[in-house]
Amino acid sequence: MSQAFVKESDENGLLHHVTPTIPALVNYIKAENNGNPVFVKKINNEDGRELIYMSNGFIYFINPDNQWEMYL
């Protein structure tokens, strides 16, 4: 019975498992930050990638494999 109770954030797992959309990214970051709200600060195109600047201070992009990554 206990296997039926899975936290929603556990389904997403790691960042690269998150659906490659901005709403999915926002939901993932919010869940990882104990429900604290996050938002997109700006979006820039650099190095041929669309970089998503988030209010948590990190930058994200979708890689060629259509998965989210952090821009370091």
Side-chain angles (χ1 to χ4, degrees):
M1 270 297 207
S2 64
Q3 293 177 348
F5 298 102
V6 179
K7 287 181 9 181
E8 185 176 348
S9 62
D10 288 345
E11 292 175 357
N12 288 335
L14 302 173
L15 179 61
H16 67 273
H17 291 159
V18 176
T19 304
T21 65
I22 292 175
L25 177 64
V26 168
N27 288 335
Y28 171 80
I29 296 169
K30 182 178 176 182
E32 290 294 309
N33 289 309
N34 299 317
N36 292 324
V38 293
F39 58 90
V40 175
K41 288 176 72 174
K42 69 178 177 176
I43 299 174
N44 277 352
N45 287 314
E46 293 180 29
D47 302 328
R49 303 178 210 171
E50 186 174 70
L51 301 180
I52 314 298
Y53 292 73
M54 299 299 294
S55 62
N56 67 346
F58 293 103
I59 304 167
Y60 301 86
F61 69 97
I62 298 172
N63 69 21
D65 294 325
N66 208 31
Q67 299 172 330
W68 283 110
E69 282 190 40
M70 288 180 72
Y71 185 78
L72 303 174

